[in-house]
Amino acid sequence: MATAIEAESGSKTVLKRSTVVPVPLATSAETIQLSGNGIIWVTDDGSTFTGELCSTMSSAGHAVRLVKVNEILDSLTLDNLSGLVIVSPANGTDDGFLEDAFLLLKKTAPSLRKSAKDGGAFFITVSRLDGSFAFDKGSVLVDPLSGGLAGLAKTAAHEWPEVACKSIDLGDFKDASAAARAVAGEIFLTGPVEVGLKPSGRCSLAPTELPPLTPPATVPLQQGDVVVVTGGGRGVTAATAIALAKAYRPTLILLGRSPDPQPEPEWLTPLSGESTIKMGILQHAPGKLTPKEVEERYHSVIAGRELKATLATIESVGGQALYRSVDIRDSNGVNELLEVIRQAHGPIRGIVHGAGVLADRLICDKTREQFATVYGTKVVGLRNLLAATVSDDLRFIALFGSTTGRFGRSGQVDYAVANEVLNKIAQAESRRHPACHAVCINWGPWDGGMVTPALKKVFSGEGIGLIGLTSGGELLSREIAANDAPVEVIALAGSAEEPLPVKTLSPDTQLAEAFSLTLSIDDFPFIRSHVIDGKAVLPMAVIIEWLAHGALHGNPGFRFHGFNDLRICKGVIFEQNSTCTIQVRAGRAEKRDSLYYVPVELTSIASGRRTILHTSAVIVLATKLPKGNRSIVDVPATPYPYEGGKIYDPARLFHGPELHGIKEVDSCSSKGISALVKSAPKPSKWFKRPLRNNWITDPLVMDCAFQLMILWSFERFGSASLPSFVRAYRQFQDGFPSGGTRIVINVTAESKHGASADMEFIDGNTDKLIARLEGYECVIDPSLAGAFSRNQLSQPACGILEAA
């Protein structure tokens, strides 16, 4: 697996393919709370289901009201609104319903957010695909368009982290009452943002890496076959068209909104450069032009030149190309144009739908018109293309989706809804026409097209790479030939990276005391939740926090970026009514490249004044934190089998209530384990006299990562594990988010005596990489089970616990 940090080592951008698969989901032990006297709105689906749903929730003591999604909201009071459930119509979703659903969400946003702060609120959508978001192979999709509702929920989850947002996909239940009970129960459970419900149980969606594409056994196109490409003839779609021309030499019909290119006047042809062209436009204008008119004419010139260059390039690599101007939202215009194309060039064999526009605004600021334009270009345009080619023997349908649809993104609710609809239309087409390969590629951002310089800065700040025009076009040309590939494919720019660099410090580095602490149960009460073999053991996660503080103590103005070579030599233990004094020592910071490396140790004094080394590491500091890119995409897809229906089974995890941070284990297999975890409370909740007001890392999140490795080792070998070494850790922001973190662990080596792993810590709301840990090592030992079972403090004493 490729790993590393771009700021510290050179990297090469590569495209990584992945998809998502349904995985069974155990029932969550945590529930969502509503603010006092909260009212829940449920939209009427036109059947008995929503009435049953309201009745079920009312019987549980909730105030519920059944409303119409297009009801005049000015006549309804929004006071105390704490829950909104938008249910897809029983007789099928249409474009108007999705637009009305957006407007209803926008209208209720202030009330939901206020209730969330007052005590709790939720927003739920209910689609009707197949109970697994169309990912059950061979299933019948009841209402593909309803899949767009998930875009509402995923966007709201990004914009309103305080509101519990979830998209439910409802499967085929025996009757409305059974379906209502399942949905009513799910609404109040915590868990992932996408949950499928079927009579057989719950499921969620887990990402899984796809193998590299291999040369196809058969090609989807013959030379001269007609392929319709929407999105114009510049930027992203131009790169796609050129790649198709190189691979298959088809006849490409490029459709766009720009006028058909016209010959340039003689005075314009020799001009180049923005200022020169604009000067020529002013000199040859019949009248006075405003600055806006000059800008528009300049962009028209550039667009025409780029389009001509695209057509010429396609011809030069062996293809044929025509450009036609049409609004693909105009069904009559599309029908008439494609009939002309058939008569001149033959039947249509493929569709590449790349058209799209953006109108980024937060939900509360977006207008109906903006939503309709963004949605219509994607969805209405595709519907017209499919209707106009219904009699053609299509070999492939390739849709330009977006990771905005798959993951959600602030400011793009319309784009998320539209791209989720594209995903599900592709799923429906693959079922309707098995001989036609349908694929919707959920692209990450491209280095061109709609990704403006301002957006590039946003993506760079989030550690998201940009897809090169050439590499993206080549991927699509291979994807249309991959008949055994999934319908929904995620394509992201990653890095072919080296492991996290570990710098070697001078051997004669001297360490001095940064601070010392006298540990006791009374002063550090959280330690009662970390007891092994009847003795309190200082968690490695807290040791990391204190080592980081020790390094920063002597280097004010720097920021914590991570550590290298953290080794547990001896565990620190203390018992009821006893104390232990530990000392954190730090050396001078050594600058290497743009980073600073500080050697640190945690020690204590044993009998005879002998110094005991417990932990050593090298802390990495920076003046500016670089951005990190996610690299673990092959997440295990096997559900975790909860023992006794709960995570904190004392037979496996010895941790007490203060360290119960794992909210939901997503999956677990030989490859690794993933879960959603909570953030630590303020330091003052754990320590009577905290060193800082806020955490440098997050010791609860970090400890949960080590807890997950215990669960993994039990599943894999039936034995417990304890951490012993970490080769490198890098953190890309100050602290961790309060809304929760998703931990993804990839096991890189294993035996019955130990294991190694890499870990990524991802913001649960934004999917942004928070931190990466590489080279984690743990010891697996059957004898630990007995020590884990004795997790209550016993007789008083003070001593040292050997690392497992």
Side-chain angles (χ1 to χ4, degrees):
M1 183 194 69
T3 58
I5 295 173
E6 263 184 67
E8 295 187 39
S9 64
S11 62
K12 180 182 178 181
T13 300
V14 296
L15 285 185
K16 298 181 178 180
R17 299 168 67 245
S18 61
T19 189
V20 293
V21 294
V23 294
L25 194 62
T27 301
S28 174
E30 294 193 40
T31 58
I32 296 170
Q33 302 299 317
L34 294 184
S35 62
N37 300 318
I39 299 173
I40 302 169
W41 283 6
V42 177
T43 64
D44 191 348
D45 73 339
S47 77
T48 59
F49 166 73
T50 45
E52 292 278 0
L53 178 60
C54 291
S55 177
T56 302
M57 289 193 289
S58 296
S59 299
H62 301 287
V64 188
R65 176 168 183 170
L66 192 64
V67 300
K68 301 286 187 182
V69 73
N70 59 353
E71 194 163 354
I72 300 175
L73 296 179
D74 292 339
S75 64
L76 298 175
T77 176
L78 295 171
D79 294 341
N80 299 322
L81 182 64
S82 298
L84 174 62
V85 184
I86 296 180
V87 183
S88 59
N91 60 356
T93 303
D94 58 22
D95 300 334
F97 176 84
L98 291 175
E99 185 175 306
D100 287 338
F102 153 69
L103 293 172
L104 176 62
L105 178 63
K106 174 183 176 179
K107 182 71 174 181
T108 56
S111 298
L112 291 175
R113 300 189 72 180
K114 181 180 183 300
S115 293
K117 294 176 181 178
D118 292 342
F122 62 70
F123 168 55
I124 308 291
T125 63
V126 180
S127 58
R128 287 181 165 97
L129 293 162
D130 61 357
S132 61
F133 297 94
F135 284 98
D136 267 355
K137 289 185 178 180
S139 64
V140 176
L141 301 190
V142 179
D143 182 11
L145 221 63
S146 70
L149 289 173
L152 294 177
K154 285 186 275 193
T155 306
H158 283 281
E159 296 187 15
W160 316 330
E162 70 275 19
V163 178
C165 300
K166 183 184 294 186
S167 173
I168 297 173
D169 186 37
L170 188 61
D172 186 18
F173 284 78
K174 64 179 182 179
D175 54 46
S177 179
R181 289 194 299 272
V183 172
E186 183 60 45
I187 284 173
F188 293 94
L189 294 179
T190 62
V193 72
E194 291 172 294
V195 175
L197 293 180
K198 291 190 281 191
S200 57
R202 307 165 77 218
C203 76
S204 187
L205 300 177
T208 184
E209 188 173 6
L210 293 174
L213 289 167
T214 56
T218 58
V219 295
L221 295 171
Q222 300 299 317
Q223 183 172 347
D225 280 350
V226 178
V227 177
V228 175
V229 182
T230 71
R234 298 184 292 147
V236 171
T237 47
T240 301
I242 292 168
L244 289 172
K246 286 181 179 179
Y248 307 111
R249 299 186 176 182
T251 297
L252 298 171
I253 311 301
L254 309 184
L255 306 183
R257 293 175 297 168
S258 301
D260 293 346
Q262 302 296 322
E264 290 184 354
E266 290 185 3
W267 64 263
L268 180 58
T269 302
L271 302 185
S272 62
E274 181 175 352
S275 59
T276 304
I277 293 173
K278 287 182 176 178
M279 183 63 69
I281 291 171
L282 286 170
Q283 291 173 348
H284 291 85
K288 186 176 181 180
L289 298 178
T290 65
K292 181 180 179 181
E293 290 171 330
V294 173
E295 192 71 21
E296 289 173 348
R297 295 192 183 191
Y298 167 73
H299 282 294
S300 177
V301 170
I302 297 304
R305 289 184 175 183
E306 290 179 353
L307 178 53
K308 290 175 184 177
T310 298
L311 298 175
T313 302
I314 291 172
E315 298 281 348
S316 71
V317 298
Q320 297 182 20
L322 298 172
Y323 176 82
R324 294 293 181 264
S325 177
V326 67
D327 183 349
I328 59 172
R329 295 174 297 176
D330 177 6
S331 60
N332 291 331
V334 172
N335 267 317
E336 293 171 3
L337 174 60
L338 294 192
E339 184 55 37
V340 172
I341 295 297
R342 282 190 201 91
Q343 293 176 6
H345 301 281
I348 295 163
R349 295 294 183 232
I351 293 174
V352 177
H353 182 43
V357 295
L358 294 177
D360 289 6
R361 296 287 189 279
L362 296 176
I363 291 170
C364 58
D365 298 324
K366 195 177 294 285
T367 66
R368 177 197 290 268
E369 292 72 24
Q370 290 167 338
F371 185 96
T373 299
V374 173
Y375 177 88
T377 303
K378 281 280 186 185
V379 179
V380 178
L382 174 60
R383 186 181 296 123
N384 290 338
L385 286 172
L386 294 176
T389 57
V390 69
S391 60
D392 292 289
D393 182 17
L394 296 177
R395 308 290 168 74
F396 73 88
I397 300 169
L399 309 182
F400 270 56
S402 170
T403 51
T404 293
R406 171 90 308 271
F407 304 116
R409 170 170 285 277
S410 293
Q412 293 189 339
V413 64
D414 39 15
Y415 205 58
V417 171
N419 282 291
E420 271 291 71
V421 170
L422 257 61
N423 277 327
K424 306 318 171 189
I425 289 178
Q427 293 278 11
E429 289 298 312
S430 72
R431 289 159 167 80
R432 188 177 295 118
H433 305 293
C436 174
H437 178 48
V439 60
C440 186
I441 304 178
N442 289 237
W443 297 105
W446 288 62
D447 192 6
M450 293 184 290
V451 180
T452 62
L455 275 177
K456 288 181 182 181
K457 290 183 179 180
V458 172
F459 291 128
S460 175
E462 296 177 0
I464 299 174
L466 299 179
I467 297 170
L469 293 176
T470 301
S471 57
E474 291 175 349
L475 177 66
L476 183 135
S477 71
R478 297 193 303 271
E479 201 71 64
I480 64 172
N483 291 323
D484 58 344
V487 174
E488 297 182 41
V489 174
I490 303 165
L492 291 167
S495 298
E497 302 167 326
E498 299 299 325
L500 292 171
V502 177
K503 305 293 185 180
T504 302
L505 298 181
S506 304
D508 57 349
T509 302
Q510 299 295 312
L511 276 65
E513 179 180 331
F515 66 92
S516 62
L517 292 171
T518 298
L519 306 182
S520 69
I521 300 296
D522 290 339
D523 288 339
F524 298 87
F526 83 97
I527 204 72
R528 296 180 186 274
S529 291
H530 203 264
V531 175
I532 303 175
D533 200 22
K535 305 173 183 65
V537 181
L538 187 64
M540 184 168 117
V542 175
I543 291 175
I544 291 169
E545 179 75 19
W546 286 346
L547 291 178
H549 177 77
L552 290 169
H553 181 75
N555 296 281
F558 286 88
R559 299 165 74 181
F560 173 73
H561 182 34
F563 58 81
N564 294 337
D565 291 335
L566 186 142
R567 186 173 300 279
I568 299 293
C569 303
K570 292 181 180 292
V572 180
I573 71 167
F574 50 105
E575 302 180 14
Q576 190 73 36
N577 301 323
S578 68
T579 62
C580 282
T581 300
I582 56 99
Q583 182 184 73
V584 172
R585 299 162 54 83
R588 294 182 59 184
E590 292 188 20
K591 184 179 181 183
R592 302 287 176 87
D593 300 324
S594 60
L595 301 176
Y596 297 79
Y597 297 81
V598 182
V600 290
E601 293 178 347
L602 187 145
T603 63
S604 68
I605 304 298
S607 58
R609 306 299 298 170
R610 181 169 60 93
T611 299
I612 302 297
L613 175 64
H614 296 283
T615 309
S616 64
V618 176
I619 300 295
V620 183
L621 304 179
T623 55
K624 181 181 179 181
L625 296 181
K627 307 302 179 184
N629 291 321
R630 292 176 58 180
S631 60
I632 300 178
V633 295
D634 191 12
V635 180
T638 306
Y640 177 73
Y642 288 84
E643 294 294 327
K646 58 185 179 180
I647 296 172
Y648 286 95
D649 175 10
R652 294 192 170 193
L653 293 178
F654 62 86
H655 307 75
E658 296 286 355
L659 296 177
H660 284 190
I662 303 174
K663 298 175 67 175
E664 191 95 32
V665 181
D666 298 326
S667 53
C668 179
S669 73
S670 60
K671 295 180 180 179
I673 188 169
S674 64
L676 182 66
V677 305
K678 296 188 294 188
S679 299
K682 290 287 187 180
S684 58
K685 297 292 185 180
W686 279 13
F687 313 148
K688 283 191 175 180
R689 290 178 290 277
L691 299 173
R692 290 171 173 263
N693 293 327
N694 297 299
W695 300 110
I696 300 171
T697 60
D698 187 313
L700 182 56
V701 172
M702 196 75 70
D703 196 77
C704 284
F706 308 149
Q707 294 176 32
L708 289 173
M709 281 303 295
I710 296 174
L711 295 178
W712 177 87
S713 65
F714 264 112
E715 283 302 304
R716 189 68 174 147
F717 297 104
S719 299
S721 64
L722 282 177
S724 59
F725 177 75
V726 175
R727 189 181 67 82
Y729 170 83
R730 293 295 183 272
Q731 192 168 304
F732 305 107
Q733 64 183 50
D734 295 318
F736 278 62
S738 60
T741 300
R742 190 167 301 282
I743 301 173
V744 179
I745 299 177
N746 178 54
V747 175
T748 55
E750 62 172 77
S751 74
K752 63 181 181 180
H753 301 298
S756 301
D758 297 335
M759 308 176 180
E760 288 186 346
F761 301 83
I762 302 160
D763 190 313
N765 290 315
T766 66
D767 286 321
K768 179 180 177 182
L769 182 68
I770 303 166
R772 178 184 292 113
L773 185 151
E774 293 179 5
Y776 170 90
E777 296 180 9
C778 64
V779 175
I780 300 174
D781 188 345
S783 68
L784 287 172
F788 280 16
S789 66
R790 296 184 287 275
N791 63 348
Q792 300 297 317
L793 290 170
S794 54
Q795 71 279 2
C798 181
I800 305 300
L801 176 71
E802 294 285 347

